[in-house]
Amino acid sequence: YLFYYEGLALGTVGVIGTLGAAYPLVTVVLGVVALGDALSAAQALGIVLLMVCVVLLGWEPRAKRRVGAVAIVLAVLGFVAWGVWGVFTKVGVEAVGEGNIFLAFAVSDLAVIAAYRAVRPLQPRPGRTGRTWRWALLSVSMGAAGAFALTIAYALGPASLVAPVSGTYPILATFGAAAVLKERLPPRVLAALLAFGGGIALVAWA
């Protein structure tokens, strides 16, 4: 998350977000190589479709792309870290159980946040309202719930299948933005929806 947010501060959501959301590629490869996960041809095709969905959602017109090398490096570091996290979470829940993994997450989060704040103190930003903070709290709560559900999923299924399914979360964010923020849905988003539906079907029922 630190790599991701630092990358966002320097780059665009389309580029940084897409690189971050593609992390299941790392998890899938490590799951097959290190954990011995077996994928059918149909499931492999489903994973490809899910990654196509992510790329389509994150793609930006060339005219809007102004992302420097540092932002790209940070995004790639986040991409690798999240991908490796998926595999270690799978190993961890099988070794010590979900409860102990959650405790480890809590301790590590506090340590990382403390170290980050020591390097970059919190700067008050003018114009922030109580409503803004309520949305921020909702965002953090949803993120925690997602992490909880994802960890349980890793306990129940192979990392090489859990990661690509969870990695398609941008589809919900995109349609949520269209419904709440009235953002337009370009044709590439509709194509992403088709890729998402086909990918989920192949992964879940192949």
Side-chain angles (χ1 to χ4, degrees):
Y1 276 111
L2 292 182
F3 291 137
Y4 176 70
Y5 287 125
E6 288 295 310
L8 280 183
L10 301 172
T12 63
V13 174
V15 175
I16 306 305
T18 299
L19 281 173
Y23 77 88
L25 291 174
V26 176
T27 305
V28 169
V29 171
L30 290 178
V32 172
V33 173
L35 302 181
D37 290 348
L39 299 175
S40 68
Q43 287 172 329
L45 176 59
I47 290 170
V48 170
L49 287 175
L50 293 177
M51 293 300 97
V52 168
C53 167
V54 170
V55 171
L56 286 172
L57 290 174
W59 181 82
E60 287 185 325
R62 185 179 299 275
K64 294 183 180 179
R65 294 180 188 171
R66 293 183 178 86
V67 181
V70 174
I72 295 295
V73 168
L74 288 168
V76 170
L77 289 173
F79 160 82
V80 173
W82 268 329
V84 174
W85 170 83
V87 172
F88 281 123
T89 299
K90 174 64 177 177
V91 173
V93 294
E94 290 183 348
V96 300
E98 300 90 323
N100 289 327
I101 288 294
F102 289 138
L103 177 61
F105 284 164
V107 173
S108 65
D109 285 347
L110 289 175
V112 170
I113 291 169
Y116 181 72
R117 281 291 162 227
V119 174
R120 181 166 293 192
L122 183 65
Q123 298 292 331
R125 297 186 179 183
R128 296 296 187 263
T129 65
R131 184 178 179 184
T132 302
W133 283 105
R134 286 194 293 272
W135 280 111
L137 180 60
L138 177 61
S139 172
V140 171
S141 300
M142 293 300 293
F148 178 86
L150 183 56
T151 304
I152 298 298
Y154 277 123
L156 299 175
S160 57
L161 291 182
V162 171
V165 171
S166 68
T168 55
Y169 64 85
I171 196 81
L172 292 178
T174 300
F175 283 95
V180 177
L181 304 177
K182 308 304 180 185
E183 293 185 0
R184 187 176 61 87
L185 293 178
R188 64 180 172 81
V189 173
L190 300 179
L193 180 61
L194 292 175
F196 172 78
I200 288 292
L202 288 170
V203 166
W205 293 295

